[in-house]
């Protein structure tokens, strides 16, 4: 399973890649399937699906509390905030400046 500090980063990247639209929880979950599959999670297992959803919700709440995303509980949609876009750009700049 993917470590919890990696999942928020991946969610933030997905939302930033879809900057002109909001993503519903279902859309975001579908986009996260490859992340969970590479961590060895069997997506078809119902109990693991619940765990995946719980971890995704926890990561979304964390990102909202940090101000990186905006959650709309009325329609279950998420979008990246300006602060989240700045974080993504800074993270990319940091990674590209590190020696290989």
């Amino acid at each position: 399973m993917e470590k919890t500090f990696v999942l928020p980063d991946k969610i933030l990247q997905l939302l930033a890649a879809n900057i002109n639209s909001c993503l519903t929880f279902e859309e975001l979950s579908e986009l996260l399937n490859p992340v969970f599959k590479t961590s060895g999670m069997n997506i078809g297992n119902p109990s693991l699906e619940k765990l995946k959803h719980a971890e995704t919700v926890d990561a979304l709440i964390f990102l909202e509390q940090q101000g990186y995303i905006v959650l709309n509980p009325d329609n279950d949609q998420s979008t990246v905030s300006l602060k989240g876009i700045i974080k993504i750009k800074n993270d990319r700049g940091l990674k590209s400046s590190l020696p290989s």
Side-chain angles (χ1 to χ4, degrees), residues 20-64:
N20 294 326
S21 63
C22 297
L23 294 177
T24 65
F25 183 79
E26 292 78 21
E27 292 167 333
L28 191 57
S29 292
E30 190 66 31
L31 292 171
L32 288 171
N33 277 340
V35 174
F36 285 103
K37 284 180 184 176
T38 59
S39 66
M41 181 181 275
N42 180 0
I43 299 301
N45 184 325
S47 62
L48 291 178
E49 278 290 321
K50 288 181 182 178
L51 178 61
K52 177 186 124 180
H53 284 127
E55 288 189 11
T56 302
V57 167
D58 288 346
L60 286 169
I61 291 169
F62 169 77
L63 288 168
E64 183 183 44

Side-chain angles (χ1 to χ4, degrees), residues 13 84-100:
Q13 291 170 358
I85 294 168
I86 292 169
K87 179 180 179 356
I88 290 287
K89 289 186 184 259
N90 287 341
D91 288 351
R92 285 184 186 153
L94 177 65
K95 289 177 185 172
S96 65
S97 67
L98 293 175
S100 343

Side-chain angles (χ1 to χ4, degrees), residues 10-32 56 60 63 69-81:
K10 186 61 179 173
I11 290 171
L12 192 56
Q13 291 170 358
L14 289 169
L15 290 173
N18 293 284
I19 196 165
N20 294 326
S21 63
C22 297
L23 294 177
T24 65
F25 183 79
E26 292 78 21
E27 292 167 333
L28 191 57
S29 292
E30 190 66 31
L31 292 171
L32 288 171
T56 302
L60 286 169
L63 288 168
I69 67 168
V70 176
L71 293 175
N72 185 337
D74 293 333
N75 59 14
D76 204 23
Q77 292 181 335
S78 305
T79 189
V80 67
S81 69

